[in-house]
């Protein structure tokens, strides 16, 4: 499964025109370093969050996450992660700050936003990228 996840992250990143290392770093952070494609996270106004980028329940349904096939449905050129990141403004050449802003704040360029009030971890997008992801970058490599 680890090889499938690695290949899926590379395929997803290549389809988006972003760094596989940046995408893997964000996924490591969102899964608490486990890369577990069905990782459960907090419960927020969007229900139980799960998966590689912690989809809320309506987002998982909207973007086609199949919990019976969590790797195949989330990763790849047309997987849920790529669809979500495209819809939230990720463009070729964007870096970790914008990729994570899309995941955490629902759009690129929202570096001062925080999801703490919605049940997420404390800190803004910028705080998380600049101060909380170093160990996750190493895991991503």
């Amino acid at each position: 499964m680890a090889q499938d996840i690695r290949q899926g992250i590379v395929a997803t990143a290549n389809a988006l025109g972003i760094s596989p290392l940046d995408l893997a770093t964000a996924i490591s952070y969102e899964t608490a370093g486990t890369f577990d494609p069905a990782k459960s996270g907090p419960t927020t106004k969007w229900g139980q969050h799960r998966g590689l980028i912690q989809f809320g329940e309506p987002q998982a349904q909207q973007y086609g996450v199949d919990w019976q096939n969590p790797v195949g449905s989330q990763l790849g050129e047309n997987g849920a992660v790529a669809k979500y990141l495209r819809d939230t403004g990720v463009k070729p050449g964007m870096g970790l700050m914008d990729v994570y802003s899309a995941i955490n704040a629902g759009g690129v360029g929202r570096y001062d936003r925080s999801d703490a009030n919605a049940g997420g971890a404390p800190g803004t997008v910028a705080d998380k990228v600049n101060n909380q992801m170093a160990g996750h970058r190493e895991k991503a490599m």
Side-chain angles (χ1 to χ4, degrees):
M1 176 138 90
Q3 186 64 16
D4 291 344
I5 291 172
R6 181 187 175 285
Q7 290 172 340
I9 289 171
V10 170
T12 303
N14 288 343
L16 293 166
I18 62 173
S19 161
L21 185 56
D22 287 344
L23 181 57
T25 299
I27 288 172
S28 178
Y29 182 80
E30 288 294 289
T31 62
T34 67
F35 291 88
D36 176 351
K39 174 80 174 169
S40 290
T43 299
T44 71
K45 66 182 180 179
W46 304 111
Q48 175 68 56
H49 286 248
R50 292 175 65 191
L52 294 169
I53 62 169
Q54 292 295 293
F55 287 100
E57 292 173 24
Q59 294 82 9
Q61 185 172 14
Q62 177 182 350
Y63 291 102
V65 179
D66 175 358
W67 297 115
Q68 302 306 308
N69 180 17
V71 175
S73 65
Q74 289 180 83
L75 295 175
E77 182 178 352
N78 294 305
V81 171
K83 290 177 187 173
Y84 176 82
L85 291 177
R86 279 188 200 106
D87 277 2
T88 54
V90 172
K91 302 278 187 240
M94 286 186 169
L96 179 58
M97 189 70 74
D98 279 311
V99 170
Y100 193 67
S101 180
I103 292 168
N104 188 250
V108 300
R110 298 177 180 175
Y111 315 134
D112 62 344
R113 301 280 179 90
S114 174
D115 65 347
N117 290 339
T124 65
V125 168
D127 291 334
K128 291 174 183 177
V129 170
N130 293 327
N131 303 319
Q132 299 177 29
M133 290 196 184
H136 294 286
R137 191 127 188 118
E138 291 172 22
K139 282 187 187 242
M141 287 190 239

